[in-house]
Amino acid sequence: MKKNTKINVKDLNLWYGEKQALHNLDVKLYENKITALIGPSGCGKSTFLRCLNRMNDLVDSAKIEGNVIIDGKNIYDKDVDEVSVRKRVGMVFQQPNPFPKSIYENIAYAPLKHGIVKKGSECDDLVEESLHGAGIWDEVKDSLKEPATGLSGGQQQRICIARTIAVKPDIILMDEPTSALDPISTEKIEALMLELKKKYTIVTVTHNMQQAARIADMTAFFHLGKLIEYDETETIFVNPKEKKTEDYITGRFG
Amino acid sequence: MSKEMNPFYDPSLKKRHLKDKLFKYFTISSLSISLIFLAIFLGDMIIKGSSAIQQTYIQVEVSYNEKSKKSYRKAVERKYINLLSRAALREIPMKMKNNPSLMGTKKLVWMLADDQVDMYMKEYYYKIKSRDLKTLKALIGDSRVEKKFNTIFFTHGDSKTPEYSGILSAMVGTILTLIVAMAVAFPIGVATAVYLEEFSSHGKWSQFLEVNINNLAAIPSILFGLLGLAIFINLFGFPRSSALVGGLTLALMTLPIIVVSSRAALRSVPASIRQAGYGLGLTKVQVVKDHVLPLAFPGIMTGSIIGLAQAMGETAPLIIVGMIAFIPDSPSSIMDAATVMPAQIFTWAGMPERAYIERTAAGILVLLTVLISLNALAVILRKKFEVKW
Amino acid sequence: MQTFETKNRNRHIQEDMIKYALILAATISILTTFGILFSILFEAIEFFKLKSFVYFFTGTEWSPGTVDSKFGALPIFAGTFIITLIAMSVALPIGLGSAIFMSEYATKTQRTILKPLLEVLAGIPTVVYGFFAAITVAPFIVNVCNSIGLEASFNSALASGVVMGIMIIPVISSLSDDVITAVPDSLRKGSLALGMTKSETIKDVVIPSAMPGIISAALLGISKALGETMIVVMAAGLRPNLSWNILEDMTTVTVRIVDSLVGDQAFNSPATLSAFALGLALFVVTLTLNIVSVRMIQKFKEKYKMSSL
Ligand SMILES: Nc1ncnc2c1ncn2[C@@H]1O[C@H](COP(=O)(O)OP(=O)(O)OP(=O)(O)O)[C@@H](O)[C@H]1O
Ligand SMILES: [Mg+2]
C-alpha cells in the first residue's frame, strides 16, 4: 500500500483539567486513506479526533501539548488560525446536526461565507456538486427549499457530509457517523466513504468492528488514552501484535 | 516561518475575525449599558434621596401663654415665623392643651425649619426673602441652626408642607393593602395550583384554565384598575381609595404568579411520594394535604414572596381605584381611605416644591430596599430548601 | 360493617367538598379575565352609544372637556405607537445583545453574578422609572437638545420611550437568554467545524434557530410597552399630538385612561367612559400579542422537543 503522510501527530498529550485524556500519541495518518479509530468507550477516540481540527479549543478545561503537523505545518503553532484549520479539516458528527434551514442553505452557507463561491449559479453548481458527492442529490434535488430537518436520519447525515465537502476540505473527520442510523443508511454512508477517500483523507471513529474491517485501510486501537496499536486494518484484525488489541477485537472486553 | 510557508495562512480571515471581535464587543457593551444604567439610576436616587436623611431645625424661644394658645403665630418672635415650619408651629397650641403645666413658661426649643430654609441649608435652589435670609444667617452665626436626623420622614404621614411629610401613612396603607391582597391571592392561588396539578383530568377544561392564567399574567396592570373600579367600587360598592379595594385588585394581579410558581413547586414533588401515600391506603386529599403540600411549601412561599414584591411596587391600578388621595393620618382599617408607597412616590413626584424631590427619592430608596430584601429572601428560601430528590 | 360504611360515606362527602372548593378557586382566575373583559366592554359600549365608533378609531381630534366634545383617538394611538417604537429600539438590541453575551460568551461565574443584576432592573417598580424619566432623563434631553440648537419638550416622547426601553431590557434578555441557551450545542459545533467564526455561528445558526423564542420575547416586550402606565403618566404629555417628532410631547392610551379616571367626573360622562373604550383597545391588542407570543414559544419548544422553558 502506497502511503503519503497527511497528518503527522507527534507526542500529543491532552488534559481535561487535571485528568490526562491522551498520552504521548505518535501517529502518521495517510492521504486518501480511511483510518478507523477503535477502542472501548471513553478511551479518547473523540478527543483525539477533535485534536485534528482544533475543536478541543472550544473546551475550556482542555490543555494540549505536542504537535499535529498537517502538510508540514503544526496546526497548534501560534501563527495558525484555528478557523482556517477547520476549513481544511471538516468534521461529521455522531448525531446528524443539519441547521434548521433549507437543504440548499445548509450546503451553501459555509462556502458563501468563505468566499469559495458567489451567490447565484456558481453557488447552485457547488450545492449540486456537493449533494452529488454525498450521494443524495437524486433524493433531494426537487426539495432543495425544504427544511433539512425534515429528512430521515440517514439523509440528514449525508446532508451533513455534503455540507462538509462543499467547503472543499482535504481531510474529513467522522465521529461514529453511522451509529445513530439504521442498517440501510449505514450501508449508504459506508459506500460514500469509500467513494470520498479518493479525494479526501478520512479519519473515522467506530464502535463497529465489521465496519472498520469493511472500509478502513488503517486502524488505530486506543485504550485509556494511549495508542496501543496502529497498523493496516488487515494486520490489526487478522494478526494483531498486542494481546489487548486481540481481546478487544474478539469482543473479550470493551 | 513565513506566511508563504504556512498552508493555513488565509488573508480573507482577517476581516472575519475583526467582525467577530466587533460582535463580541457589541454584546459586551449591550450588557454594560444595562448595568451602567442600573448604576446611574441607583446613584441618582441615592444622590437625590440621601439629603432627606437630615432635616433642618432652628433653635428658638417658644413662649407658652394665652396668646400663643389662641394663635400659634404669637408663640415665637415674629422675625422667625417665616423660617419655621408652619405645620410644626401649628402643633404648639395642641401641645399646651395636652400639657397644661407648660402654660406661662418660655423655653428654648429646636423647632422644625421651613422647607425653603432646609433647601438653603442643603445648598439646593431656595426661595427666601432677603430680610428672612439675614435673620437666618444671623441664626446660623449663633449656631442655632442644625441639621438633625429626619425622624419626621418615618413617623409622619403625608402633609401639604413638605418638611412635615413622611411615609408612615403610605407604609401602613401598603401593609394593609398587601395583607388583603395576600389573604385573597394566596389561598386561591395555591388551591388553583393544587387543582390543576393534582385533581384535574388534564382535559380541555384545565387547558382552558391554563391558557387563561397565562393570559391574565400578560394583561396590562392598568386594566386591573378598570376592573377594580367597575366591579369592586361601582358594582359592590366598596369604599373608594380603601385598602380593601386596592388589595382585592392587587390580589387578582398576583394570582397568576402564585399559581404558576405553586404548580412548579407541586410538580417538583416526585411521584414516588404520592405512590407511597396511596400505598398506605390514604385518600387523594390526604396524600396532597399531608405529604405533597408540605414538601412543595418552600417553593410556594418563594413564588408568593416574589408575587408580594411585585404587588408592592404596583401603582397604576391603585391610582385608578383612587389610592392617591391625600392621607395625612395612617388608615386604621381596610375600609379607610389609604395610599400606598408607590402612590405616595407618584404624588410627591408631581409636587412643585423642590423639597419633595428629595423625599420622593428617599421614598424610592426605602421601597427599593424593601423590595430587594424581599427578593433576596425568596432566593435564600429557594436555596435553603432546594431538595435534590 | 354498618359503622364502617357510614364513616366511609362521610369521608367521601368531605373529599368531594374539598374538590369542589378547589374547582371554585380555580374558577376565580377565569372570572377575573371575564370580569376585566366585561367590565371594560360594558362601559365601552356605553361610550360608543354616545360617541361614534368609527370616529374613535379614525378621528384626529380629542377634546373631552369641551361642550361639543370630540373623541378621535388616532393621535393617542400614534403617540402610544411611537413611544413603544422608541422603547423597542432601545430594548431589543440591548436586551438581545445582553442575552447573547450571557448565553454565549460569559463564563459560569460571570453568569451567576450578571443574571441577578439584570433581574434587579426587572424588579424596579415602574413608578420609580417614571420619576427617573421625569426628573433626570427629560431635563437631560432638553439640555442636550438646547445645546445643539434643537427644541425639546420636558414631556418628550424620547424621554419616556428610552426609559421604558430600559425597563423592558430584562423582559427581552431573560426570555432570549433561555431560548438561546436551549439551542442544541450540536448546531454550534456543526457550524464551527465548517470553519465559521463564533460570531458567524451565533448570527447565522444560533439566532435563527432561537428566532421563534426571540420574536416571542419581542412581542411580550411590545405588549409591556403598550400597557406601561406610570412612566408615561409621569414623563410623557397629556396632549394628543399627531407628530413624528420624538422631541415633542405625546400622549398614550394609558395616560389618557388615568387622566380621565382620576379626579371627580361624573361616571357616566363620555369623558370618563372614554377610558374604557381606550382600555378595550389596549386589552384586545395586548391579549392578541400574548396569544401569538405563546404560540411562537410553543413552536420553539416543539422544534427542540423541550418539555419546559
Ligand atoms: N469536555 C470534556 N471535559 C472533560 N472531560 C472530557 C470531556 N470530553 C471527554 N472527556 C473525558 O475524556 C475521556 C475520553 O473521552 P472521549 O469522548 O474522547 O472518549 P471516546 O473514546 O470518544 O468514547 P465513546 O466511544 O464513548 O465516544 C473520557 O474519560 C471522558 O470522560
Ligand atoms: Mg466518542
Side-chain angles (χ1 to χ4, degrees), chain B residues 150-167:
Chain B
N150 189 356
T151 40
I152 289 177
F153 184 69
F154 297 99
T155 54
H156 281 68
D158 199 3
S159 165
K160 296 284 186 203
T161 44
E163 71 277 6
Y164 212 62
S165 58
I167 53 171

Side-chain angles (χ1 to χ4, degrees), chain B residues 16 20 28 30-31 37-38 41 44 48 192 195 208-209 212 215 218 220 226-227 234 252 283 285 313 315 364 371, chain C residues 15 23 25-26 29-30 32-33 35-36 94 101 114 124-125 128 131-132 136 166 195 199-200 261 267 286 290:
Chain B
R16 289 168 61 192
D20 197 48
I28 292 178
S30 302
L31 190 75
F37 169 78
L38 186 64
F41 176 81
D44 190 39
K48 290 210 165 85
T192 306
Y195 173 73
F208 175 64
L209 268 173
N212 178 67
N215 286 333
L226 294 185
L227 168 91
N234 286 341
L252 299 181
T283 64
V285 170
T315 325
I364 286 172
L371 288 182
Chain C
E15 297 247 319
I23 294 177
S29 74
I30 296 202
T32 308
T33 313
I36 290 179
I94 296 181
F101 179 79
L114 294 174
I124 295 174
V128 179
F131 178 67
F132 184 69
T136 306
I166 293 165
S199 67
E200 287 163 347
L261 290 178
F267 196 77
T286 51
N290 186 51

Side-chain angles (χ1 to χ4, degrees), chain C residues 128-164:
Chain C
V128 179
Y129 280 108
F131 178 67
F132 184 69
I135 297 290
T136 306
V137 179
F140 175 75
I141 288 174
V142 171
N143 287 339
V144 169
C145 285
N146 280 347
S147 69
I148 54 171
L150 286 170
E151 200 178 316
S153 158
F154 273 98
N155 294 326
S156 66
L158 186 61
S160 35
V162 166
V163 174
M164 195 188 278

Side-chain angles (χ1 to χ4, degrees), chain C residues 63-94:
Chain C
S63 54
T66 56
V67 183
D68 180 29
S69 57
K70 284 214 166 91
F71 292 91
L74 208 56
I76 299 174
F77 294 140
T80 310
F81 173 76
I82 286 172
I83 290 178
T84 301
L85 204 64
I86 298 169
M88 288 312 287
S89 41
V90 170
L92 205 54
I94 296 181

Side-chain angles (χ1 to χ4, degrees), chain B residues 194-265:
Chain B
V194 169
Y195 173 73
L196 284 172
E197 277 304 307
E198 309 285 335
F199 289 91
S200 86
S201 47
H202 297 281
K204 280 256 156 59
W205 160 244
S206 55
Q207 237 172 30
F208 175 64
L209 268 173
E210 228 181 304
V211 170
N212 178 67
I213 286 164
N214 194 326
N215 286 333
L216 204 55
I219 290 175
S221 64
I222 189 171
L223 298 183
F224 284 88
L226 294 185
L227 168 91
L229 181 63
I231 307 263
F232 299 137
I233 297 177
N234 286 341
L235 192 64
F236 294 173
F238 293 158
R240 204 180 136 89
S241 308
S242 64
L244 177 65
V245 170
L248 288 174
T249 309
L250 288 186
L252 299 181
M253 292 186 58
T254 318
L255 200 55
I257 303 172
I258 296 182
V259 173
V260 170
S261 58
S262 301
R263 285 188 72 183

